PDB file of all heavy atoms in Angstrom:
ATOM      1  N   ALA A   1       0.829  -1.206   0.004  1.00 91.00           N
ATOM      2  CA  ALA A   1      -0.017  -0.011  -0.022  1.00 91.00           C
ATOM      3  C   ALA A   1       0.867   1.272  -0.005  1.00 91.00           C
ATOM      4  O   ALA A   1       1.861   1.338   0.721  1.00 91.00           O
ATOM      5  CB  ALA A   1      -0.928  -0.020   1.210  1.00 91.00           C
ATOM      6  N   ASN A   2       0.535   2.248  -0.838  1.00 91.00           N
ATOM      7  CA  ASN A   2       1.223   3.522  -0.994  1.00 91.00           C
ATOM      8  C   ASN A   2       2.564   3.400  -1.737  1.00 91.00           C
ATOM      9  O   ASN A   2       3.213   4.431  -1.923  1.00 91.00           O
ATOM     10  CB  ASN A   2       1.436   4.235   0.326  1.00 91.00           C
ATOM     11  CG  ASN A   2       0.142   4.594   1.007  1.00 91.00           C
ATOM     12  OD1 ASN A   2      -0.847   4.933   0.359  1.00 91.00           O
ATOM     13  ND2 ASN A   2       0.123   4.524   2.333  1.00 91.00           N
ATOM     14  N   TYR A   3       2.974   2.233  -2.118  1.00 94.00           N
ATOM     15  CA  TYR A   3       4.250   2.071  -2.782  1.00 94.00           C
ATOM     16  C   TYR A   3       4.162   1.299  -4.104  1.00 94.00           C
ATOM     17  O   TYR A   3       5.116   0.683  -4.516  1.00 94.00           O
ATOM     18  CB  TYR A   3       5.238   1.348  -1.850  1.00 94.00           C
ATOM     19  CG  TYR A   3       5.509   2.110  -0.585  1.00 94.00           C
ATOM     20  CD1 TYR A   3       4.887   1.816   0.595  1.00 94.00           C
ATOM     21  CD2 TYR A   3       6.366   3.216  -0.605  1.00 94.00           C
ATOM     22  CE1 TYR A   3       5.112   2.527   1.781  1.00 94.00           C
ATOM     23  CE2 TYR A   3       6.627   3.954   0.556  1.00 94.00           C
ATOM     24  CZ  TYR A   3       5.974   3.605   1.706  1.00 94.00           C
ATOM     25  OH  TYR A   3       6.226   4.351   2.843  1.00 94.00           O
ATOM     26  N   PHE A   4       3.013   1.360  -4.752  1.00 94.00           N
ATOM     27  CA  PHE A   4       2.890   0.794  -6.123  1.00 94.00           C
ATOM     28  C   PHE A   4       1.716   1.411  -6.823  1.00 94.00           C
ATOM     29  O   PHE A   4       0.834   1.993  -6.244  1.00 94.00           O
ATOM     30  CB  PHE A   4       2.660  -0.754  -6.016  1.00 94.00           C
ATOM     31  CG  PHE A   4       1.257  -1.161  -5.819  1.00 94.00           C
ATOM     32  CD1 PHE A   4       0.465  -1.536  -6.897  1.00 94.00           C
ATOM     33  CD2 PHE A   4       0.678  -1.196  -4.549  1.00 94.00           C
ATOM     34  CE1 PHE A   4      -0.862  -1.932  -6.710  1.00 94.00           C
ATOM     35  CE2 PHE A   4      -0.627  -1.547  -4.363  1.00 94.00           C
ATOM     36  CZ  PHE A   4      -1.383  -1.922  -5.428  1.00 94.00           C
ATOM     37  N   ASP A   5       1.746   1.347  -8.150  1.00 94.00           N
ATOM     38  CA  ASP A   5       0.620   1.699  -8.974  1.00 94.00           C
ATOM     39  C   ASP A   5       0.738   0.911 -10.320  1.00 94.00           C
ATOM     40  O   ASP A   5       1.769   0.277 -10.552  1.00 94.00           O
ATOM     41  CB  ASP A   5       0.498   3.198  -9.206  1.00 94.00           C
ATOM     42  CG  ASP A   5       1.660   3.812 -10.023  1.00 94.00           C
ATOM     43  OD1 ASP A   5       2.580   3.054 -10.433  1.00 94.00           O
ATOM     44  OD2 ASP A   5       1.668   5.021 -10.249  1.00 94.00           O
ATOM     45  N   SER A   6      -0.324   1.002 -11.077  1.00 94.00           N
ATOM     46  CA  SER A   6      -0.338   0.312 -12.345  1.00 94.00           C
ATOM     47  C   SER A   6      -0.916   1.279 -13.405  1.00 94.00           C
ATOM     48  O   SER A   6      -2.112   1.354 -13.594  1.00 94.00           O
ATOM     49  CB  SER A   6      -1.244  -0.952 -12.266  1.00 94.00           C
ATOM     50  OG  SER A   6      -1.154  -1.682 -13.448  1.00 94.00           O
ATOM     51  N   PRO A   7      -0.009   2.037 -14.024  1.00 93.00           N
ATOM     52  CA  PRO A   7      -0.461   3.133 -14.911  1.00 93.00           C
ATOM     53  C   PRO A   7      -1.038   2.623 -16.244  1.00 93.00           C
ATOM     54  O   PRO A   7      -1.704   3.378 -16.937  1.00 93.00           O
ATOM     55  CB  PRO A   7       0.787   3.923 -15.165  1.00 93.00           C
ATOM     56  CG  PRO A   7       1.912   2.979 -14.997  1.00 93.00           C
ATOM     57  CD  PRO A   7       1.446   2.028 -13.913  1.00 93.00           C
ATOM     58  N   ALA A   8      -0.719   1.390 -16.654  1.00 90.00           N
ATOM     59  CA  ALA A   8      -1.247   0.870 -17.932  1.00 90.00           C
ATOM     60  C   ALA A   8      -1.366  -0.673 -17.782  1.00 90.00           C
ATOM     61  O   ALA A   8      -0.815  -1.264 -16.900  1.00 90.00           O
ATOM     62  CB  ALA A   8      -0.271   1.216 -19.058  1.00 90.00           C
ATOM     63  N   THR A   9      -2.048  -1.242 -18.732  1.00 91.00           N
ATOM     64  CA  THR A   9      -2.232  -2.700 -18.752  1.00 91.00           C
ATOM     65  C   THR A   9      -0.882  -3.374 -18.942  1.00 91.00           C
ATOM     66  O   THR A   9      -0.138  -3.040 -19.831  1.00 91.00           O
ATOM     67  CB  THR A   9      -3.169  -3.108 -19.907  1.00 91.00           C
ATOM     68  OG1 THR A   9      -4.423  -2.408 -19.772  1.00 91.00           O
ATOM     69  CG2 THR A   9      -3.429  -4.588 -19.890  1.00 91.00           C
ATOM     70  N   GLY A  10      -0.557  -4.279 -18.048  1.00 90.00           N
ATOM     71  CA  GLY A  10       0.665  -5.030 -18.125  1.00 90.00           C
ATOM     72  C   GLY A  10       1.887  -4.298 -17.537  1.00 90.00           C
ATOM     73  O   GLY A  10       2.994  -4.770 -17.642  1.00 90.00           O
ATOM     74  N   VAL A  11       1.667  -3.152 -16.914  1.00 93.00           N
ATOM     75  CA  VAL A  11       2.758  -2.364 -16.323  1.00 93.00           C
ATOM     76  C   VAL A  11       2.482  -2.160 -14.842  1.00 93.00           C
ATOM     77  O   VAL A  11       1.422  -1.730 -14.464  1.00 93.00           O
ATOM     78  CB  VAL A  11       2.879  -0.965 -17.003  1.00 93.00           C
ATOM     79  CG1 VAL A  11       3.976  -0.128 -16.372  1.00 93.00           C
ATOM     80  CG2 VAL A  11       3.109  -1.112 -18.489  1.00 93.00           C
ATOM     81  N   THR A  12       3.499  -2.496 -14.043  1.00 95.00           N
ATOM     82  CA  THR A  12       3.382  -2.276 -12.555  1.00 95.00           C
ATOM     83  C   THR A  12       4.620  -1.480 -12.146  1.00 95.00           C
ATOM     84  O   THR A  12       5.766  -1.832 -12.492  1.00 95.00           O
ATOM     85  CB  THR A  12       3.364  -3.625 -11.830  1.00 95.00           C
ATOM     86  OG1 THR A  12       2.254  -4.398 -12.312  1.00 95.00           O
ATOM     87  CG2 THR A  12       3.242  -3.426 -10.332  1.00 95.00           C
ATOM     88  N   ARG A  13       4.382  -0.418 -11.386  1.00 96.00           N
ATOM     89  CA  ARG A  13       5.475   0.338 -10.808  1.00 96.00           C
ATOM     90  C   ARG A  13       5.449   0.192  -9.303  1.00 96.00           C
ATOM     91  O   ARG A  13       4.439   0.360  -8.657  1.00 96.00           O
ATOM     92  CB  ARG A  13       5.339   1.850 -11.147  1.00 96.00           C
ATOM     93  CG  ARG A  13       5.458   2.146 -12.624  1.00 96.00           C
ATOM     94  CD  ARG A  13       5.482   3.628 -12.896  1.00 96.00           C
ATOM     95  NE  ARG A  13       4.231   4.301 -12.541  1.00 96.00           N
ATOM     96  CZ  ARG A  13       3.860   5.493 -13.001  1.00 96.00           C
ATOM     97  NH1 ARG A  13       4.681   6.161 -13.810  1.00 96.00           N
ATOM     98  NH2 ARG A  13       2.724   6.007 -12.632  1.00 96.00           N
ATOM     99  N   ARG A  14       6.610  -0.136  -8.753  1.00 96.00           N
ATOM    100  CA  ARG A  14       6.772  -0.263  -7.300  1.00 96.00           C
ATOM    101  C   ARG A  14       7.953   0.568  -6.908  1.00 96.00           C
ATOM    102  O   ARG A  14       8.904   0.748  -7.649  1.00 96.00           O
ATOM    103  CB  ARG A  14       7.054  -1.724  -6.934  1.00 96.00           C
ATOM    104  CG  ARG A  14       5.963  -2.678  -7.305  1.00 96.00           C
ATOM    105  CD  ARG A  14       6.335  -4.101  -6.954  1.00 96.00           C
ATOM    106  NE  ARG A  14       5.282  -5.017  -7.352  1.00 96.00           N
ATOM    107  CZ  ARG A  14       5.486  -6.218  -7.798  1.00 96.00           C
ATOM    108  NH1 ARG A  14       6.706  -6.718  -7.870  1.00 96.00           N
ATOM    109  NH2 ARG A  14       4.446  -7.009  -8.132  1.00 96.00           N
ATOM    110  N   TRP A  15       7.889   1.151  -5.722  1.00 95.00           N
ATOM    111  CA  TRP A  15       9.006   1.968  -5.262  1.00 95.00           C
ATOM    112  C   TRP A  15       9.207   1.806  -3.766  1.00 95.00           C
ATOM    113  O   TRP A  15       8.365   1.324  -3.008  1.00 95.00           O
ATOM    114  CB  TRP A  15       8.807   3.413  -5.601  1.00 95.00           C
ATOM    115  CG  TRP A  15       7.574   4.059  -5.025  1.00 95.00           C
ATOM    116  CD1 TRP A  15       7.461   4.778  -3.853  1.00 95.00           C
ATOM    117  CD2 TRP A  15       6.282   4.077  -5.621  1.00 95.00           C
ATOM    118  NE1 TRP A  15       6.194   5.191  -3.688  1.00 95.00           N
ATOM    119  CE2 TRP A  15       5.430   4.800  -4.746  1.00 95.00           C
ATOM    120  CE3 TRP A  15       5.729   3.553  -6.804  1.00 95.00           C
ATOM    121  CZ2 TRP A  15       4.095   5.011  -5.019  1.00 95.00           C
ATOM    122  CZ3 TRP A  15       4.389   3.778  -7.087  1.00 95.00           C
ATOM    123  CH2 TRP A  15       3.583   4.512  -6.183  1.00 95.00           C
ATOM    124  N   THR A  16      10.397   2.169  -3.378  1.00 95.00           N
ATOM    125  CA  THR A  16      10.785   2.152  -1.961  1.00 95.00           C
ATOM    126  C   THR A  16      11.440   3.484  -1.623  1.00 95.00           C
ATOM    127  O   THR A  16      12.067   4.112  -2.505  1.00 95.00           O
ATOM    128  CB  THR A  16      11.735   0.977  -1.655  1.00 95.00           C
ATOM    129  OG1 THR A  16      11.955   0.919  -0.254  1.00 95.00           O
ATOM    130  CG2 THR A  16      13.056   1.065  -2.321  1.00 95.00           C
ATOM    131  N   VAL A  17      11.256   3.931  -0.390  1.00 93.00           N
ATOM    132  CA  VAL A  17      11.838   5.212   0.048  1.00 93.00           C
ATOM    133  C   VAL A  17      12.696   4.935   1.282  1.00 93.00           C
ATOM    134  O   VAL A  17      12.267   4.304   2.227  1.00 93.00           O
ATOM    135  CB  VAL A  17      10.720   6.222   0.437  1.00 93.00           C
ATOM    136  CG1 VAL A  17      11.326   7.569   0.845  1.00 93.00           C
ATOM    137  CG2 VAL A  17       9.735   6.384  -0.708  1.00 93.00           C
ATOM    138  N   GLN A  18      13.958   5.333   1.209  1.00 93.00           N
ATOM    139  CA  GLN A  18      14.921   5.129   2.330  1.00 93.00           C
ATOM    140  C   GLN A  18      15.440   6.515   2.764  1.00 93.00           C
ATOM    141  O   GLN A  18      15.474   7.460   1.958  1.00 93.00           O
ATOM    142  CB  GLN A  18      16.075   4.276   1.894  1.00 93.00           C
ATOM    143  CG  GLN A  18      15.651   2.889   1.426  1.00 93.00           C
ATOM    144  CD  GLN A  18      16.810   2.130   0.752  1.00 93.00           C
ATOM    145  OE1 GLN A  18      17.888   2.710   0.482  1.00 93.00           O
ATOM    146  NE2 GLN A  18      16.604   0.893   0.467  1.00 93.00           N
ATOM    147  N   GLN A  19      15.842   6.557   4.007  1.00 92.00           N
ATOM    148  CA  GLN A  19      16.397   7.792   4.541  1.00 92.00           C
ATOM    149  C   GLN A  19      17.756   8.031   3.894  1.00 92.00           C
ATOM    150  O   GLN A  19      18.585   7.129   3.797  1.00 92.00           O
ATOM    151  CB  GLN A  19      16.578   7.683   6.075  1.00 92.00           C
ATOM    152  CG  GLN A  19      17.050   8.980   6.695  1.00 92.00           C
ATOM    153  CD  GLN A  19      16.010  10.086   6.585  1.00 92.00           C
ATOM    154  OE1 GLN A  19      14.840   9.900   6.803  1.00 92.00           O
ATOM    155  NE2 GLN A  19      16.497  11.268   6.169  1.00 92.00           N
ATOM    156  N   GLY A  20      17.975   9.226   3.398  1.00 89.00           N
ATOM    157  CA  GLY A  20      19.255   9.613   2.778  1.00 89.00           C
ATOM    158  C   GLY A  20      20.008  10.534   3.698  1.00 89.00           C
ATOM    159  O   GLY A  20      19.575  10.821   4.832  1.00 89.00           O
ATOM    160  N   PRO A  21      21.109  11.047   3.285  1.00 89.00           N
ATOM    161  CA  PRO A  21      21.898  11.943   4.108  1.00 89.00           C
ATOM    162  C   PRO A  21      21.235  13.322   4.245  1.00 89.00           C
ATOM    163  O   PRO A  21      20.738  13.869   3.258  1.00 89.00           O
ATOM    164  CB  PRO A  21      23.226  12.048   3.389  1.00 89.00           C
ATOM    165  CG  PRO A  21      22.950  11.629   1.991  1.00 89.00           C
ATOM    166  CD  PRO A  21      21.777  10.751   2.031  1.00 89.00           C
ATOM    167  N   ALA A  22      21.192  13.876   5.442  1.00 86.00           N
ATOM    168  CA  ALA A  22      20.767  15.277   5.770  1.00 86.00           C
ATOM    169  C   ALA A  22      19.642  15.838   4.930  1.00 86.00           C
ATOM    170  O   ALA A  22      19.880  16.571   3.968  1.00 86.00           O
ATOM    171  CB  ALA A  22      21.976  16.168   5.709  1.00 86.00           C
ATOM    172  N   GLY A  23      18.409  15.490   5.248  1.00 83.00           N
ATOM    173  CA  GLY A  23      17.241  16.083   4.591  1.00 83.00           C
ATOM    174  C   GLY A  23      16.979  15.553   3.217  1.00 83.00           C
ATOM    175  O   GLY A  23      16.331  16.201   2.417  1.00 83.00           O
ATOM    176  N   THR A  24      17.459  14.350   2.912  1.00 88.00           N
ATOM    177  CA  THR A  24      17.178  13.757   1.578  1.00 88.00           C
ATOM    178  C   THR A  24      16.588  12.360   1.797  1.00 88.00           C
ATOM    179  O   THR A  24      16.620  11.782   2.872  1.00 88.00           O
ATOM    180  CB  THR A  24      18.494  13.617   0.773  1.00 88.00           C
ATOM    181  OG1 THR A  24      19.375  12.748   1.432  1.00 88.00           O
ATOM    182  CG2 THR A  24      19.150  14.947   0.513  1.00 88.00           C
ATOM    183  N   ARG A  25      16.046  11.886   0.712  1.00 90.00           N
ATOM    184  CA  ARG A  25      15.532  10.535   0.714  1.00 90.00           C
ATOM    185  C   ARG A  25      15.962   9.858  -0.574  1.00 90.00           C
ATOM    186  O   ARG A  25      16.124  10.519  -1.598  1.00 90.00           O
ATOM    187  CB  ARG A  25      14.009  10.526   0.794  1.00 90.00           C
ATOM    188  CG  ARG A  25      13.538  11.089   2.130  1.00 90.00           C
ATOM    189  CD  ARG A  25      12.244  10.609   2.582  1.00 90.00           C
ATOM    190  NE  ARG A  25      11.982  11.135   3.903  1.00 90.00           N
ATOM    191  CZ  ARG A  25      10.824  11.522   4.345  1.00 90.00           C
ATOM    192  NH1 ARG A  25       9.779  11.437   3.554  1.00 90.00           N
ATOM    193  NH2 ARG A  25      10.689  11.983   5.554  1.00 90.00           N
ATOM    194  N   ILE A  26      16.187   8.567  -0.500  1.00 93.00           N
ATOM    195  CA  ILE A  26      16.627   7.783  -1.651  1.00 93.00           C
ATOM    196  C   ILE A  26      15.423   7.027  -2.187  1.00 93.00           C
ATOM    197  O   ILE A  26      14.786   6.236  -1.493  1.00 93.00           O
ATOM    198  CB  ILE A  26      17.742   6.815  -1.309  1.00 93.00           C
ATOM    199  CG1 ILE A  26      18.950   7.563  -0.752  1.00 93.00           C
ATOM    200  CG2 ILE A  26      18.132   5.950  -2.513  1.00 93.00           C
ATOM    201  CD1 ILE A  26      20.005   6.676  -0.105  1.00 93.00           C
ATOM    202  N   LEU A  27      15.072   7.328  -3.434  1.00 94.00           N
ATOM    203  CA  LEU A  27      13.922   6.702  -4.068  1.00 94.00           C
ATOM    204  C   LEU A  27      14.422   5.643  -5.089  1.00 94.00           C
ATOM    205  O   LEU A  27      15.296   5.918  -5.853  1.00 94.00           O
ATOM    206  CB  LEU A  27      13.067   7.690  -4.880  1.00 94.00           C
ATOM    207  CG  LEU A  27      12.430   8.828  -4.102  1.00 94.00           C
ATOM    208  CD1 LEU A  27      11.746   9.759  -5.085  1.00 94.00           C
ATOM    209  CD2 LEU A  27      11.423   8.242  -3.124  1.00 94.00           C
ATOM    210  N   THR A  28      13.879   4.467  -5.015  1.00 95.00           N
ATOM    211  CA  THR A  28      14.120   3.427  -5.987  1.00 95.00           C
ATOM    212  C   THR A  28      12.785   3.021  -6.570  1.00 95.00           C
ATOM    213  O   THR A  28      11.872   2.642  -5.826  1.00 95.00           O
ATOM    214  CB  THR A  28      14.874   2.207  -5.365  1.00 95.00           C
ATOM    215  OG1 THR A  28      16.088   2.660  -4.820  1.00 95.00           O
ATOM    216  CG2 THR A  28      15.136   1.145  -6.455  1.00 95.00           C
ATOM    217  N   VAL A  29      12.680   3.136  -7.891  1.00 96.00           N
ATOM    218  CA  VAL A  29      11.452   2.755  -8.589  1.00 96.00           C
ATOM    219  C   VAL A  29      11.766   1.546  -9.466  1.00 96.00           C
ATOM    220  O   VAL A  29      12.718   1.557 -10.230  1.00 96.00           O
ATOM    221  CB  VAL A  29      10.909   3.928  -9.476  1.00 96.00           C
ATOM    222  CG1 VAL A  29       9.716   3.475 -10.291  1.00 96.00           C
ATOM    223  CG2 VAL A  29      10.561   5.123  -8.608  1.00 96.00           C
ATOM    224  N   ARG A  30      10.949   0.547  -9.335  1.00 96.00           N
ATOM    225  CA  ARG A  30      11.072  -0.665 -10.187  1.00 96.00           C
ATOM    226  C   ARG A  30       9.826  -0.722 -11.052  1.00 96.00           C
ATOM    227  O   ARG A  30       8.717  -0.674 -10.551  1.00 96.00           O
ATOM    228  CB  ARG A  30      11.171  -1.909  -9.342  1.00 96.00           C
ATOM    229  CG  ARG A  30      11.180  -3.208 -10.183  1.00 96.00           C
ATOM    230  CD  ARG A  30      11.524  -4.414  -9.348  1.00 96.00           C
ATOM    231  NE  ARG A  30      12.911  -4.315  -8.940  1.00 96.00           N
ATOM    232  CZ  ARG A  30      13.444  -5.049  -7.950  1.00 96.00           C
ATOM    233  NH1 ARG A  30      12.689  -5.926  -7.308  1.00 96.00           N
ATOM    234  NH2 ARG A  30      14.684  -4.924  -7.633  1.00 96.00           N
ATOM    235  N   VAL A  31      10.036  -0.821 -12.371  1.00 96.00           N
ATOM    236  CA  VAL A  31       8.936  -0.928 -13.315  1.00 96.00           C
ATOM    237  C   VAL A  31       8.983  -2.288 -13.965  1.00 96.00           C
ATOM    238  O   VAL A  31      10.015  -2.725 -14.499  1.00 96.00           O
ATOM    239  CB  VAL A  31       9.004   0.160 -14.396  1.00 96.00           C
ATOM    240  CG1 VAL A  31       7.840   0.068 -15.370  1.00 96.00           C
ATOM    241  CG2 VAL A  31       9.106   1.545 -13.741  1.00 96.00           C
ATOM    242  N   LEU A  32       7.862  -2.997 -13.916  1.00 95.00           N
ATOM    243  CA  LEU A  32       7.708  -4.313 -14.547  1.00 95.00           C
ATOM    244  C   LEU A  32       6.759  -4.191 -15.733  1.00 95.00           C
ATOM    245  O   LEU A  32       5.605  -3.796 -15.551  1.00 95.00           O
ATOM    246  CB  LEU A  32       7.157  -5.359 -13.529  1.00 95.00           C
ATOM    247  CG  LEU A  32       7.889  -5.422 -12.222  1.00 95.00           C
ATOM    248  CD1 LEU A  32       6.952  -5.566 -11.077  1.00 95.00           C
ATOM    249  CD2 LEU A  32       8.869  -6.569 -12.312  1.00 95.00           C
ATOM    250  N   VAL A  33       7.250  -4.509 -16.909  1.00 93.00           N
ATOM    251  CA  VAL A  33       6.402  -4.495 -18.116  1.00 93.00           C
ATOM    252  C   VAL A  33       6.243  -5.939 -18.565  1.00 93.00           C
ATOM    253  O   VAL A  33       7.206  -6.596 -18.930  1.00 93.00           O
ATOM    254  CB  VAL A  33       7.016  -3.643 -19.222  1.00 93.00           C
ATOM    255  CG1 VAL A  33       6.131  -3.679 -20.461  1.00 93.00           C
ATOM    256  CG2 VAL A  33       7.219  -2.217 -18.776  1.00 93.00           C
ATOM    257  N   ALA A  34       4.998  -6.427 -18.507  1.00 89.00           N
ATOM    258  CA  ALA A  34       4.752  -7.816 -18.855  1.00 89.00           C
ATOM    259  C   ALA A  34       3.941  -7.983 -20.126  1.00 89.00           C
ATOM    260  O   ALA A  34       3.386  -9.042 -20.365  1.00 89.00           O
ATOM    261  CB  ALA A  34       4.017  -8.492 -17.696  1.00 89.00           C
ATOM    262  N   SER A  35       3.864  -6.966 -20.945  1.00 79.00           N
ATOM    263  CA  SER A  35       3.103  -7.100 -22.220  1.00 79.00           C
ATOM    264  C   SER A  35       4.040  -7.482 -23.333  1.00 79.00           C
ATOM    265  O   SER A  35       5.244  -7.246 -23.274  1.00 79.00           O
ATOM    266  CB  SER A  35       2.424  -5.769 -22.527  1.00 79.00           C
ATOM    267  OG  SER A  35       3.394  -4.765 -22.714  1.00 79.00           O
ATOM    268  N   GLY A  36       3.513  -8.081 -24.347  1.00 74.00           N
ATOM    269  CA  GLY A  36       4.288  -8.530 -25.491  1.00 74.00           C
ATOM    270  C   GLY A  36       4.999  -9.844 -25.254  1.00 74.00           C
ATOM    271  O   GLY A  36       4.654 -10.576 -24.371  1.00 74.00           O
ATOM    272  N   ILE A  37       6.002 -10.081 -26.087  1.00 80.00           N
ATOM    273  CA  ILE A  37       6.711 -11.385 -26.015  1.00 80.00           C
ATOM    274  C   ILE A  37       7.719 -11.441 -24.884  1.00 80.00           C
ATOM    275  O   ILE A  37       7.845 -12.427 -24.205  1.00 80.00           O
ATOM    276  CB  ILE A  37       7.455 -11.612 -27.356  1.00 80.00           C
ATOM    277  CG1 ILE A  37       6.444 -11.742 -28.490  1.00 80.00           C
ATOM    278  CG2 ILE A  37       8.304 -12.894 -27.295  1.00 80.00           C
ATOM    279  CD1 ILE A  37       7.063 -11.789 -29.833  1.00 80.00           C
ATOM    280  N   ALA A  38       8.473 -10.349 -24.680  1.00 81.00           N
ATOM    281  CA  ALA A  38       9.544 -10.327 -23.700  1.00 81.00           C
ATOM    282  C   ALA A  38       9.218  -9.335 -22.572  1.00 81.00           C
ATOM    283  O   ALA A  38       9.087  -8.150 -22.796  1.00 81.00           O
ATOM    284  CB  ALA A  38      10.864  -9.954 -24.366  1.00 81.00           C
ATOM    285  N   ALA A  39       9.099  -9.852 -21.343  1.00 86.00           N
ATOM    286  CA  ALA A  39       8.860  -9.016 -20.190  1.00 86.00           C
ATOM    287  C   ALA A  39      10.184  -8.304 -19.806  1.00 86.00           C
ATOM    288  O   ALA A  39      11.262  -8.819 -20.027  1.00 86.00           O
ATOM    289  CB  ALA A  39       8.378  -9.851 -19.029  1.00 86.00           C
TER     290      ALA A  39
END
């Protein structure tokens, strides 16, 4: 919850937020595309 969305059919975006140095955050976004022949 709050860390994924699905903007299109066959596409899933997930992300994680980690504490970064002094007032920053580290964002990692993983996008899975499962449409077509090759995911």
